[in-house]
Amino acid sequence: MERIQGQIAAAHQPFMLKVAVASLLAAGVMSSASVWAQDAGTVVVTGVRKAAQSAQTIKQNSEQVMDSIVADDIGKFPDKNVAEILGRVPGTQIIRDNGEAGQVIIRGLGGIVTTLNGREMFTAAGRSLFLADVPVAMLQRVDVYKSQAADMNEGGVAGVIDVRTNRPFDFKGEQVALTARAEHRGLAGHTDPNLSGMWSNRWKSAEYGDFGILGGISYQRGRYHDETAWVAPPIKWPLYNNMQGADSMGRVMTQGDRKRWAGNFSAQWRPNSDLELYAEGFSTKINHDSSSVFFVGVLPWFQAGSTVTTQQGSNYLDSISKNGADGLFTLSSTQARRDESIGHQGAIGGRYNITPTVRFTTELARTLSRYTQENPILDTVLPGPLNIKGAIRDGGGYLEYPGTDMTSPNKWVTDVFWDNHNASSGRSTDWRGDVIWEPESDGILKELSSGVRLAKRFATYVHEKDNFNKVAAIPVTSLPSGLNCVTEATGGNYGMNQFYAPCRDYLLDNTAALRTALGLKGRTADDPLSYYSDVETTTALYLKAKFGVDVGPVPVDGAVGVRWVQTKQEVDGYSQVTSATGASTIIPAHSDSTTSDVLPSASLRAKWMPNLQSRLVAGKAIQRANFGDYNPGLILHDSTATTLATGSAGNPNLRPTQSKNVDLSLEWYFAPASSLTATLFEHRFTDYEMWRQRNETINGKTYLVNRPYNVGKANLKGSEFSYQQFFTMLPGWMSGLGVQANVTFMHGGVQNEDGASTTPDFPGMSKKAYNVVGLYEYDKLSARLAYSWRDKFVAEYNYRGCCDLIVDPIKFLDASVSYKLTKDVTVSVDANNLLNFAYHDYHGTAAAPRDVRRYDRTVGVSLRWKM
């Protein structure tokens, strides 16, 4: 049945494109009059329309399947970080939490290479850059490549996100831009500053040529508030006819104070037309204090005498209540976090025209990144007996304790102190050199290029040892008064809306004093079993040829290329070895591995008409495992009377996941800022990485060891449709109207080595998603209204051994309005989450919800000055 449905869907997609085009033609929105009106040059293109036109030109002329987002003006985007911008790109999906968009996936996949001005950029020991850390104030544009050429950095099966910053030669002369923004968050109840500035200038002399310099700086503060009402996975209640119900429910109150500083620098020198040199750098620093306050209320499901009801027409819990319930675990736990992230990247490079037809380019880059976290957690409990009522309401957990003041610290006592901390770092040195030859004769061969890239990457990670500390039941009122706080009030109808919690700032600022008050010794030591150090050396060579030829009346161009890359891993860690007597010893562990991959690629474009083209792109890509997955350290746990002998480890022999990708597109650019495009795509994966438990014999004893393996195959298919138009043919003020819309369909899944399907879809992938953006620009006014929707998806398969964790559709509505007070001064108002969206997920069925999450609604007012 699934195969038949897939065939129907595949046949349906070209038909949908024809219907869409016919409908738009019938409606007159793509009439020849509109095309001629825009081609006639009677419209002055600025701001939003100019940005859309530039992005469309980049997409149209690219060798690859890609989308681009260009700034309306210097650093002017309707969002405050790169991740939020990407939420409106076809095939790209984001998750918002902790006050902003953070997680980004392309076509349902997380294997993404992030680059800064074409150079690989990362955060600490991660493979990619945390895109929310890049402020939009420094951006020229963002390019999202869904296919890759031979001359692009390898390492992402989903695609490449390239963040482009301004350079001084992008401007004709001096440019100054200053922005001040005040941002108010509804749930957090705070108004915070966002400040940025950029200065750029260039000079020209007959003796020294052109020289330019640019500098930028940005500061952002964001105090946020997220809240969750949660319900545990359902279990059978034997005392109540095996009814399906959660054993507990509660709250998670997340608050944070994030401060970001960022700066960039760029210098360019062009002494003559044959030589250009540049140097540039980017730095960012993030200080982030946050906490998640967990409230856990165990229900009296194991006690007789409770009043219990089920949901109508089902055997799932609706409500439970009991007075004087004793033996219930009632917990308030503050998980405090103090994060610091620092990243720097510097690069020098240049271009030299060796001859009129041969040029050489080179670049040397150095990247440094460090991340540290202090994470003290204090668990406090409330002894019974208690009156309690729990229920399922509005898709979440309703919980109250009649007769008990849950905000008072009087009855709460300490239970467990978790002394957590971790640190990770990364650094790399990259060099590349490229030679490009453009033949003088106008033949089939248009360009031949070849190059080499050498990179050495270091990554380390370690976390604490013996973090669990069971402490005496000390009344919290006998501890320093600064420890005791009350949460902010929660929204929605979920019963108890405030409760006692240890204070985040006290835990972070007075951790040592709290250890002493709880009778503990100093800060926990690092755990050698968590430590790894990875040195990854890559050598890549490529050869690429561009061609062009007329096939009858149709111009055809494209490129073919191949990239060879060798990856060497040298990993150090520690293993725990258990002797026959049961004594454990920690010993160093080391491993070396080398893999080589050949990555062919080809792109072909046919220009059926000057504004109508089709594109076929095929190639092979790889994705390397996370550095921690290579850790050779092995931790063993001997069997007991009730448990098996088990172990956990990384796998230094992991091979990169390989993906063979094909994209087929049809693109109609019927005006300078108007287009209709459709793309069909398929990814076929081999050596797909999955975690498995397998028996391993170690020192004559069998252990069930959990580690990652290259065991799976996977397949992803889908289609993307995009439409963009500005209605300049309309009279008067209506000529400022425009629209952008895109929709994506995807399906696919993972198979293990025996061919049996393990997941029908990739975790985190929505089968359908769309964006609709209304645009307006006329005279001094510009506006944008953007709606994003993605279908339900499985967040995690077999969640806690219970069921699939399914997330309901996600939808956000954002808006921005700008008005030019003068030619140099613009005032803007923007708002996010206008629908006050609440995130819902559930345990396989809507009758067993897990979370209801509510986020801040954000309103910002900006004043921009540009000279």
Side-chain angles (χ1 to χ4, degrees):
M1 179 60 72
E2 290 182 357
R3 184 178 62 190
I4 295 174
Q5 290 174 341
Q7 292 171 344
I8 293 173
H12 188 54
Q13 289 164 355
F15 175 73
M16 289 178 60
L17 177 59
K18 295 177 182 178
V19 170
V21 173
S23 300
L24 292 168
L25 286 169
V29 298
M30 292 183 179
S31 66
S32 59
S34 70
V35 175
W36 285 110
Q38 297 191 47
D39 288 346
T42 58
V43 178
V44 178
V45 181
T46 60
V48 174
R49 193 177 308 164
K50 181 180 179 181
Q53 181 174 323
S54 299
Q56 178 172 296
T57 301
I58 294 169
K59 177 183 175 75
Q60 182 177 2
N61 295 333
S62 174
E63 291 177 21
Q64 302 301 312
V65 176
M66 59 91 71
D67 290 279
S68 187
I69 301 178
V70 177
D72 298 351
D73 205 336
I74 299 174
K76 182 178 181 292
F77 288 90
D79 306 279
K80 62 180 178 295
N81 69 53
V82 173
E84 293 187 352
I85 292 172
L86 295 173
R88 290 188 286 278
V89 172
T92 303
Q93 299 168 351
I94 62 175
I95 290 290
R96 304 191 192 196
D97 58 9
N98 293 333
E100 63 187 7
Q103 179 185 352
V104 179
I105 59 176
I106 298 178
R107 293 175 173 175
L109 304 171
I112 300 170
V113 172
T114 55
T115 57
L116 180 67
N117 295 323
R119 299 181 297 273
E120 191 170 5
M121 187 70 175
F122 52 82
T123 299
R127 284 286 184 191
S128 60
L129 176 67
F130 187 62
L131 290 167
D133 288 343
V134 182
V136 298
M138 298 174 178
L139 299 186
Q140 180 201 65
R141 72 176 200 259
V142 181
D143 297 332
V144 180
Y145 292 90
K146 300 165 188 176
S147 62
Q148 298 176 53
D151 56 348
M152 298 174 66
N153 289 349
E154 76 286 339
V157 294
V160 177
I161 297 175
D162 186 29
V163 178
R164 293 277 172 177
T165 59
N166 287 302
R167 289 174 170 172
F169 285 2
D170 296 335
F171 308 108
K172 294 181 179 180
E174 185 178 21
Q175 291 284 334
V176 180
L178 300 173
T179 301
R181 181 174 185 267
E183 180 180 271
H184 180 78
R185 297 174 184 266
L187 292 178
H190 293 292
T191 300
D192 296 314
N194 284 225
L195 306 171
S196 64
M198 187 209 76
W199 172 81
S200 177
N201 205 352
R202 58 187 296 181
W203 303 267
K204 185 173 184 177
S205 71
E207 184 177 1
Y208 298 108
D210 287 356
F211 177 75
I213 189 168
L214 177 149
I217 192 168
S218 170
Y219 170 75
Q220 294 180 345
R221 186 180 186 186
R223 287 173 286 182
Y224 60 87
H225 174 102
D226 297 344
E227 57 188 46
T228 300
W230 62 268
V231 183
I235 59 175
K236 290 184 178 180
W237 290 14
L239 293 179
Y240 299 94
N241 298 320
N242 285 327
M243 181 191 72
Q244 295 284 316
D247 62 0
S248 58
M249 58 179 61
R251 306 280 186 272
V252 183
M253 306 291 287
T254 300
Q255 293 179 303
D257 186 356
R258 182 189 295 108
K259 299 173 184 177
R260 284 195 178 100
W261 295 263
N264 70 318
F265 166 83
S266 179
Q268 292 176 283
W269 179 37
R270 188 184 298 143
N272 54 61
S273 60
D274 291 328
L275 177 64
E276 181 176 326
L277 303 173
Y278 65 86
E280 59 186 14
F282 173 80
S283 292
T284 182
K285 179 181 179 182
I286 299 95
N287 290 115
H288 185 192
D289 284 0
S290 64
S291 64
S292 295
V293 180
F294 283 80
F295 184 92
V296 179
V298 170
L299 304 175
W301 64 277
F302 55 91
Q303 297 179 355
S306 298
T307 301
V308 175
T309 63
T310 58
Q311 298 180 38
Q312 186 174 2
S314 78
N315 193 38
Y316 282 88
L317 170 71
D318 179 66
S319 69
I320 180 172
S321 61
K322 187 175 184 180
N323 291 333
D326 208 352
L328 301 182
F329 181 70
T330 307
L331 171 139
S332 177
S333 171
T334 298
Q335 302 188 4
R337 296 175 292 269
R338 173 159 288 165
D339 305 338
E340 182 180 75
S341 179
I342 298 175
H344 308 284
Q345 185 178 83
I348 56 174
R351 168 191 58 83
Y352 176 59
N353 295 337
I354 301 173
T355 72
T357 61
V358 179
R359 69 180 183 273
F360 172 70
T361 65
T362 186
E363 182 178 76
L364 177 66
R366 178 70 169 168
T367 306
L368 303 170
S369 182
R370 176 176 59 86
Y371 173 84
T372 60
Q373 182 185 77
E374 296 294 326
N375 179 209
I377 300 172
L378 181 60
D379 291 354
T380 61
V381 295
L382 180 63
L386 296 169
N387 300 331
I388 185 172
K389 179 179 180 180
I392 304 299
R393 296 288 185 270
D394 297 331
Y398 178 100
L399 191 63
E400 62 176 337
Y401 295 86
T404 301
D405 181 4
M406 301 302 288
T407 65
S408 171
N410 289 334
K411 295 183 179 180
W412 292 88
V413 298
T414 58
D415 184 51
V416 175
F417 179 70
W418 305 78
D419 204 352
N420 302 326
H421 53 83
N422 64 80
S424 57
S425 65
R427 64 185 189 273
S428 72
T429 303
D430 300 66
W431 174 81
R432 68 178 299 164
D434 303 81
V435 177
I436 302 96
W437 172 56
E438 296 179 359
E440 293 182 350
S441 60
D442 188 16
I444 294 178
L445 182 63
K446 304 300 182 183
E447 180 182 287
L448 185 65
S449 60
S450 180
V452 58
R453 177 176 180 262
L454 306 176
K456 195 166 188 177
R457 171 77 192 276
F458 298 82
T460 64
Y461 173 84
V462 70
H463 66 64
E464 76 291 325
K465 181 184 179 183
D466 299 329
N467 61 335
F468 176 86
N469 296 281
K470 181 72 173 179
V471 297
I474 303 172
V476 297
T477 52
S478 67
L479 296 172
S481 59
L483 174 68
N484 302 319
C485 285
V486 175
T487 66
E488 297 291 332
T490 59
N493 182 25
Y494 300 107
M496 174 193 62
N497 69 346
Q498 285 182 285
F499 53 93
Y500 163 82
C503 301
R504 176 193 74 194
D505 291 344
Y506 184 88
L507 291 179
L508 294 172
D509 296 336
N510 302 278
T511 312
L514 181 60
R515 291 189 190 104
T516 300
L518 296 175
L520 302 174
K521 296 181 180 180
R523 184 175 186 262
T524 55
D526 290 342
D527 183 1
L529 294 174
S530 72
Y531 171 84
Y532 68 80
S533 174
D534 193 324
V535 180
E536 182 179 88
T537 305
T538 58
T539 303
L541 304 172
Y542 80 88
L543 181 66
K544 189 175 87 167
K546 294 183 180 180
F547 61 87
V549 64
D550 291 341
V551 180
V554 180
V556 176
D557 61 17
V560 293
V562 63
R563 186 179 187 90
W564 172 82
V565 57
Q566 182 186 75
T567 306
K568 294 183 178 180
Q569 299 282 353
E570 299 178 52
V571 192
D572 287 289
Y574 292 90
S575 292
Q576 175 182 289
V577 178
T578 304
S579 68
T581 62
S584 294
T585 304
I586 296 176
I587 62 173
H590 177 83
S591 71
D592 293 327
S593 63
T594 301
T595 60
S596 296
D597 295 278
V598 177
L599 309 175
S601 61
S603 63
L604 188 68
R605 179 176 63 170
K607 296 183 178 180
W608 306 103
M609 293 188 294
N611 59 3
L612 179 66
Q613 64 186 36
S614 60
R615 194 190 309 265
L616 175 64
V617 181
K620 184 178 178 182
I622 61 170
Q623 177 184 338
R624 300 182 181 96
N626 294 324
F627 287 106
D629 293 351
Y630 294 109
N631 188 353
L634 174 64
I635 303 174
L636 299 178
H637 304 280
D638 277 342
S639 60
T640 68
T642 57
T643 62
L644 298 174
T646 60
S648 60
N651 185 349
N653 298 315
L654 285 173
R655 300 180 300 276
T657 295
Q658 300 180 15
S659 176
K660 296 179 180 178
N661 306 332
V662 177
D663 289 77
L664 177 63
S665 70
L666 181 62
E667 305 163 11
W668 182 22
Y669 301 97
F670 56 90
S674 301
S675 61
L676 181 65
T677 65
T679 304
L680 305 178
F681 59 86
E682 181 175 15
H683 299 249
R684 291 186 178 273
F685 303 94
T686 55
D687 284 338
Y688 200 81
E689 181 186 343
M690 302 178 73
W691 285 75
R692 286 284 185 268
Q693 287 185 318
R694 292 179 175 175
N695 287 326
E696 298 183 20
T697 301
I698 302 169
N699 294 332
K701 188 171 183 177
T702 300
Y703 294 85
L704 186 63
V705 179
N706 187 37
R707 67 167 86 223
Y709 294 92
N710 295 112
V711 298
K713 294 183 178 180
N715 181 261
L716 174 68
K717 296 181 180 180
S719 57
E720 298 168 352
F721 302 89
S722 298
Y723 163 56
Q724 173 177 285
Q725 186 171 15
F726 285 86
F727 303 101
T728 55
M729 81 296 293
L730 297 176
W733 63 268
M734 291 187 294
S735 64
L737 292 170
V739 65
Q740 295 172 329
N742 60 72
V743 60
T744 303
F745 302 92
M746 295 180 289
H747 64 93
V750 182
Q751 294 180 334
N752 58 26
E753 60 269 48
D754 61 7
S757 177
T758 56
T759 60
D761 291 299
F762 293 95
M765 184 191 80
S766 296
K767 290 185 177 181
K768 298 186 289 293
Y770 68 83
N771 298 279
V772 180
V773 183
L775 303 171
Y776 186 76
E777 186 170 55
Y778 187 77
D779 195 19
K780 299 179 180 181
L781 180 67
S782 64
R784 186 185 316 247
L785 184 65
Y787 180 74
S788 298
W789 181 93
R790 59 179 295 194
D791 199 4
K792 68 179 183 180
F793 60 92
V794 177
E796 185 175 338
Y797 286 94
N798 194 31
Y799 174 69
R800 296 189 178 180
C802 157
C803 38
D804 295 340
L805 188 60
I806 302 172
V807 180
D808 272 343
I810 293 177
K811 41 201 169 186
F812 277 93
L813 180 66
D814 304 328
S816 63
V817 179
S818 296
Y819 185 80
K820 286 190 175 182
L821 300 175
T822 70
K823 71 180 184 65
D824 297 327
V825 179
T826 302
V827 62
S828 302
V829 178
D830 59 84
N832 294 332
N833 192 20
L834 287 172
L835 299 177
N836 199 22
F837 168 76
Y839 174 107
H840 292 80
D841 60 8
Y842 51 89
H843 302 97
T845 172
R850 187 185 77 151
D851 284 357
V852 176
R853 304 179 193 171
R854 299 185 183 276
Y855 308 108
D856 277 302
R857 178 183 287 153
T858 305
V859 178
V861 178
S862 305
L863 189 66
R864 301 180 65 252
W865 176 72
K866 184 191 77 168
M867 182 185 74

